[in-house]
Amino acid sequence: AIAAEIQRLLALPKRPDLLAGQPDFAPAPNGGRALAERHVLVTAGPTHEPIDPVRYIANRSSGKQGFAIAAAAANAGARVTLVAGPVHLPTPPGVDRIDVETAREMLAAVEAALPADVAVMVAAVADWRTADAAGQKLKKDGSGEPAPLALVENPDILAILGRHAQRPALVIGFAAETEKIAEHAQAKLTRKGADWIVANDVSGDVMGGDANAVRIVTADGIEGWESMSKDAVAAKLIEKVADALSPPLH
Amino acid sequence: AIAAEIQRLLALPKRPDLLAGQPDFAPAPNGGRALAERHVLVTAGPTHEPIDPVRYIANRSSGKQGFAIAAAAANAGARVTLVAGPVHLPTPPGVDRIDVETAREMLAAVEAALPADVAVMVAAVADWRTADAAGQKLKKDGSGEPAPLALVENPDILAILGRHAQRPALVIGFAAETEKIAEHAQAKLTRKGADWIVANDVSGDVMGGDANAVRIVTADGIEGWESMSKDAVAAKLIEKVADALSPPLH
């Protein structure tokens, strides 16, 4: 009878793990609702700019930092819209994800998502696209001398948002730099009309990696954060966002 | 005592599933050893050609067809070397995989893998790379008129292999076309010195998809295969390879 009872108990379906798949964040000091009723708009990943039906220009952004920030904002109680370029990452729980490919598609999705309280523009948006993407696959002409690829500038999503009629109260840009990190970030802050620039040095292998050493550039100065995981950068940044919004920024 | 025995039995480590991760192929008619003692060299995926430390030119090849062919060749008893561009795919069991990024790295890996009995060049190798990849991240200069991207032709891996001193007995190329499929494939056969060209129409969404409708172009004519899964194309192609090698080609 005891054996039968043990077998019966062992045969019961396992209880589902209600926390399975949830990000592993420590609860925020105020109970994790620091961004309740806020709308946070995040962009992440690269953009792909077509050359022809099979070729495109890409960049090495993995999307990990942006996805971590979207997860941290959702964890802090915000409604989160994540506009993602082509990446291989699962959608964080509680996040509305919109997939796009090109910079122009990303801009359209960002503008459609407004109004927002906070915009965190993490995506590595392509500065340039090809002047006229070909409808047919380009072929070698046998000359051995391919025509140069004509490029045009893409819309600058961060700068457009920084001066938008529906500008979020807090506009945060990211700057991936390989040299003169702080100097380039400070110039970018002014040029883009952003409140903060999160600058990181991609001269190593940050892109695709799991750790990140960033500097936060604001009108008040530069704050250097020690190297930490991208999840930790996300949690710390969202904490700083919550502090900035309470009391209200404007 | 019975309860204790049940608990002891349940606490034993589970036997490993010896077939876990094996591809789900039906055994070939001859017992699956049709390519025993043959060396099959396969390339798969795209190549990435750097523009600067963060940007690159890519193409939409997922690598699925090439990986399926490598798996089918291993299943037929061959020693398989798979030279793979940047893809998100697991290595098929029994396959030696060499990861590369650029066309020039792929050529070097292919030549290092010779001699081989069969070469199946499935990779979508970039025809062009940038003339001089920049060491620093390229910046916008504010003019709004980016300099065109100068390109140079990459080495033609299939053509090099088709006329190589260590030319495999059977050299098979793939042609991804958006128009004039058969005509382009037949011209490619002659130009590259290949034995067969597997031509597919990528004007739809074959790249990244799971099905493929191909034509096999040889000196004897054109064989059209109905649309089937990439795994089925791989199994049928490897069967045709085994037929061609027995009796010996040359």
Side-chain angles (χ1 to χ4, degrees):
Chain A
I2 292 172
E5 177 63 10
I6 288 169
Q7 280 187 318
R8 192 189 67 79
L9 286 172
L10 287 169
L12 286 179
K14 285 199 181 153
R15 262 193 227 184
D17 179 356
L18 296 175
L19 294 177
Q22 296 297 316
D24 189 19
F25 289 111
N30 56 4
R33 305 281 96 183
L35 290 181
E37 292 175 42
R38 301 291 193 176
H39 180 208
V40 176
L41 172 59
V42 181
T43 63
T47 65
H48 286 178
E49 307 296 331
I51 296 172
D52 66 17
V54 296
R55 300 183 180 91
Y56 57 93
I57 299 176
N59 67 65
R60 298 186 195 283
S61 169
S62 67
K64 286 178 184 172
Q65 185 63 78
F67 274 60
I69 289 167
N75 189 54
R79 175 162 81 82
V80 181
T81 304
L82 171 61
V83 180
V87 294
H88 290 84
L89 292 172
T91 307
V95 166
D96 293 326
R97 172 175 177 173
I98 298 159
D99 285 319
V100 298
E101 184 163 323
T102 67
R104 285 178 293 178
E105 289 169 11
M106 186 169 277
L107 173 62
V110 162
E111 292 197 289
L114 297 175
D117 299 289
V118 185
V120 194
M121 305 284 96
V122 195
V125 181
D127 288 332
W128 306 293
R129 65 175 183 275
T130 53
D132 34 20
Q136 297 298 333
K137 184 179 171 189
L138 301 174
K139 315 284 289 183
K140 293 193 232 188
D141 65 3
S143 70
E145 291 181 11
L149 206 56
L151 302 174
V152 293
E153 268 191 23
N154 265 328
D156 187 328
I157 300 176
L158 179 59
I160 289 169
L161 212 57
R163 299 183 171 84
H164 203 277
Q166 290 184 284
R167 186 192 192 277
L170 189 56
V171 173
I172 305 173
F174 269 63
E177 303 288 352
T178 49
E179 49 173 3
K180 299 181 194 162
I181 321 291
E183 189 183 320
H184 283 157
Q186 241 156 349
K188 193 167 179 174
L189 186 75
T190 317
R191 204 169 64 238
K192 311 277 183 157
D195 298 299
W196 306 345
I197 295 289
V198 181
N200 58 357
D201 180 351
V202 295
S203 62
D205 66 344
V206 168
M207 279 189 158
D210 289 318
N212 211 352
V214 303
R215 275 172 266 191
I216 314 293
V217 181
T218 72
D220 299 334
I222 299 182
E223 202 178 303
W225 292 358
E226 63 192 31
S227 180
M228 58 184 91
S229 73
K230 289 183 176 176
D231 284 348
V233 168
K236 198 169 157 85
L237 185 69
I238 287 301
E239 209 172 287
K240 190 174 167 72
V241 164
D243 286 349
L245 291 180
S246 161
L249 262 192
H250 300 294
Chain B
I2 293 172
E5 177 63 11
I6 288 168
Q7 279 186 318
R8 192 188 67 79
L9 288 172
L10 287 168
L12 287 178
K14 285 198 182 152
R15 259 192 229 186
D17 178 356
L18 296 175
L19 293 177
Q22 296 297 317
D24 189 20
F25 289 110
N30 55 4
R33 304 281 96 184
L35 290 181
E37 293 177 40
R38 301 291 193 176
H39 180 207
V40 177
L41 172 60
V42 181
T43 63
T47 65
H48 286 179
E49 306 296 332
I51 298 172
D52 66 18
V54 296
R55 300 183 180 90
Y56 57 93
I57 299 177
N59 68 64
R60 299 188 193 282
S61 169
S62 67
K64 286 178 185 173
Q65 185 62 78
F67 274 59
I69 289 167
N75 189 55
R79 175 162 80 83
V80 181
T81 303
L82 171 61
V83 180
V87 295
H88 290 83
L89 293 172
T91 306
V95 166
D96 294 326
R97 172 174 177 174
I98 298 160
D99 286 318
V100 299
E101 183 163 324
T102 67
R104 285 178 293 178
E105 289 168 9
M106 186 169 278
L107 173 62
V110 162
E111 292 197 289
L114 295 176
D117 298 289
V118 185
V120 194
M121 306 285 93
V122 196
V125 181
D127 288 332
W128 306 293
R129 64 176 183 274
T130 54
D132 32 20
Q136 297 297 334
K137 184 179 170 188
L138 301 174
K139 315 283 291 182
K140 293 193 230 189
D141 66 2
S143 70
E145 291 181 12
L149 206 55
L151 303 174
V152 293
E153 268 192 22
N154 265 328
D156 186 327
I157 299 176
L158 180 59
I160 288 169
L161 212 57
R163 299 184 171 83
H164 203 279
Q166 289 184 285
R167 186 190 192 279
L170 190 56
V171 172
I172 306 173
F174 269 63
E177 303 288 352
T178 51
E179 49 172 5
K180 299 182 195 161
I181 321 291
E183 189 183 321
H184 282 157
Q186 242 157 349
K188 194 168 179 174
L189 186 74
T190 317
R191 205 170 63 239
K192 310 277 182 159
D195 298 298
W196 306 347
I197 295 289
V198 181
N200 59 355
D201 181 351
V202 296
S203 60
D205 66 345
V206 167
M207 279 190 158
D210 288 319
N212 211 352
V214 304
R215 274 171 267 189
I216 314 293
V217 181
T218 72
D220 299 334
I222 299 181
E223 201 177 305
W225 292 357
E226 64 192 30
S227 180
M228 58 185 90
S229 74
K230 289 183 175 175
D231 283 348
V233 168
K236 198 168 156 86
L237 185 68
I238 287 301
E239 209 172 288
K240 190 175 166 73
V241 165
D243 286 349
L245 291 181
S246 162
L249 262 192
H250 299 294

